[in-house]
Amino acid sequence: MTESLQAIARRLVEPGKGLLAADESSSTIKKRFDQIKLISTFDTRRDYREMLFRAKPAMSAYVSGVILYDETIRQSAADGTPLVELIKESGSIPGIKVDSGAKPLAGFPGETITEGLDGLGERLSEYYDLGARFAKWRGVIAIGKGLPTQEAIYANAHALARYAALCQAAGIVPIVEPEVLMDGVESSHTIDVCQAVTTDTLRIVFSELERARVDLTGMILKPNMVVPGKTSGQTVSAQEVAERTVAMFRDVVPASVPGIAFLSGGQTDEQATENLSAINQLPNLPWRITFSFGRALQAAALQAWGGKAENVGAGQIAFLHRCRMNSLAALGQWQPALEREAA
Ligand code: 5MM
């Protein structure tokens, strides 16, 4: 029986579970592998992702879905098992990044438009056949002098809405990711600026989603948290991040959206977890709020693995730890002492 969009969306934000964003494009995964001095090849990318997807205790207990890159959804483990099967065996849902990246927006220096709409309908049916039940598209909004422009926000929101409508027509749950960067054209902006720009962006995104007749009950929002720019020097508590982020959502995110799954955006692992936990401690949240982290779930595992077969177990333990911490955060139950205990 075909599972409804609503049922898939609800499974993605099941209490205490969240998403693993493992959809780094080839150029991004190369940058990650550079940090451990590992050459990025078809096989090393497979070995790395196989290590994560075979981390059964982490995957089964804490990971509701995995966002894959086009290469990965077609790849098999060293023993020939398709990686998609490993994900499904752990009870997690395979998903796919379907955008083809943020490209310069003509006429708007410093701003980008995410491409990938041409032929998307056909690609989505192929991905469905390959096992994907949800997809992801990331629009990127940069803060800078005079930026973002309304044109860039509208163009990206419009593309996100067209993508989301195509996904739903193909039986695939769209994850709608409008990311306001912590380090865009500049990174010295205050938390006030982040809040104003993110509010504006989300308002326009939801207005475009509604105009495109996207069913909000069959999608997941993947936003940034409201945080200061990376080099602002501003220190804010997790409580403040949480209050500002949730106040913004109450203003602009309809309660019919079943789930919100954050990106980590370059926050440290622990900051992202602490902020998520503070958010989930706030009362009367109409949405399930969880993680869809890339770096904040993978960085420690990547370091522990270091590209060596003998370190697969250590990489999986590091991955399990971050998954467990973020699961607790998704329930509002994370404590700093738990990080120290593990260390
Ligand atoms: C995993 O990174 C994704 C983007 O990859 P490309 O830039 O190579 O296309 C990214 O969309 C990711 O899914 C989200 O930003 C979440 O990752 P972080 O690291 O921000 O939690």
Side-chain angles (χ1 to χ4, degrees):
M1 203 186 77
T2 315
E3 197 177 6
S4 71
L5 295 172
Q6 290 71 19
I8 299 166
R10 276 197 304 273
R11 278 213 285 148
L12 288 172
V13 292
E14 199 179 307
K17 288 195 176 189
L19 291 116
L20 165 63
D23 58 313
E24 298 85 358
S25 54
S26 300
S27 64
T28 302
I29 197 77
K30 181 185 174 308
K31 282 186 219 147
R32 306 281 184 264
F33 282 7
D34 284 348
Q35 295 162 2
I36 56 163
K37 301 195 169 43
L38 177 68
I39 297 175
S40 175
T41 66
F42 184 83
D43 286 342
T44 56
R45 292 192 288 274
R46 187 271 318 278
D47 290 346
Y48 175 59
R49 272 121 181 194
E50 181 174 348
M51 170 186 75
L52 298 175
F53 308 159
R54 276 198 197 277
K56 202 67 184 274
M59 292 284 298
S60 302
Y62 307 124
V63 179
S64 57
V66 182
I67 315 173
L68 301 167
Y69 183 54
D70 180 78
E71 175 184 81
T72 324
I73 200 170
R74 303 169 195 281
Q75 239 171 352
S76 292
D79 69 0
T81 315
L83 293 180
V84 163
E85 288 310 314
L86 292 184
I87 294 169
K88 288 205 237 168
E89 275 166 21
S90 72
S92 185
I93 309 175
I96 180 78
K97 183 234 295 292
V98 298
D99 66 66
S100 52
K103 307 285 157 59
L105 179 63
F108 295 86
E111 301 199 286
T112 58
I113 175 70
T114 300
E115 295 187 348
L117 287 170
D118 286 356
L120 182 55
E122 291 77 41
R123 285 197 292 130
L124 285 166
S125 26
E126 189 198 358
Y127 286 136
Y128 189 97
D129 293 341
L130 288 167
R133 291 297 175 268
F134 72 96
K136 196 205 78 175
W137 178 291
R138 173 170 167 259
V140 182
I141 303 297
I143 293 177
K145 196 163 183 295
L147 302 186
T149 61
Q150 290 289 297
E151 289 78 0
I153 300 177
Y154 269 103
N156 278 289
H158 182 73
L160 276 165
R162 285 194 56 205
Y163 139 83
L166 283 162
C167 283
Q168 292 189 334
I172 288 184
V173 169
I175 296 196
V176 173
E177 180 182 10
E179 176 174 8
V180 176
L181 297 171
M182 282 172 80
D183 51 358
V185 172
E186 60 87 352
S187 57
S188 58
H189 57 272
T190 60
I191 194 167
D192 281 338
V193 172
C194 175
Q195 186 165 353
V197 171
T198 309
T199 305
D200 197 26
T201 301
L202 291 180
R203 184 169 284 130
I204 294 170
V205 165
F206 277 101
S207 124
E208 290 294 313
L209 288 168
E210 276 164 27
R211 285 163 62 101
R213 301 185 177 168
V214 170
D215 177 354
L216 300 186
T217 66
M219 63 159 274
I220 302 288
L221 176 69
K222 177 165 172 168
N224 51 285
M225 298 177 191
V226 173
V227 288
K230 217 156 185 187
T231 62
S232 70
Q234 202 179 13
T235 334
V236 292
S237 64
Q239 188 63 29
E240 180 171 358
V241 169
E243 282 168 7
R244 283 176 178 261
T245 303
V246 169
M248 171 185 74
F249 289 161
R250 290 195 201 282
D251 257 8
V252 293
V253 181
S256 53
V257 173
I260 298 176
F262 285 109
L263 58 94
S264 57
Q267 301 183 62
T268 66
D269 296 357
E270 217 174 299
Q271 256 172 3
T273 307
E274 185 182 6
N275 289 338
L276 178 61
S277 197
I279 286 168
N280 276 301
Q281 281 163 21
L282 295 176
N284 306 319
L285 300 169
W287 328 266
R288 292 256 172 80
I289 303 190
T290 187
F291 55 91
S292 175
F293 295 160
R295 285 161 286 182
L297 270 185
Q298 294 183 53
L302 180 68
Q303 287 299 327
W305 175 60
K308 299 195 173 72
E310 63 268 28
N311 293 338
V312 163
Q316 290 177 329
I317 289 172
F319 179 56
L320 172 63
H321 176 65
R322 285 267 46 91
C323 287
R324 195 168 81 85
M325 293 299 102
N326 285 306
S327 163
L328 289 168
L331 299 167
Q333 292 169 6
W334 174 86
Q335 296 290 338
L338 297 169
E339 300 279 354
R340 288 193 290 277
E341 267 168 33

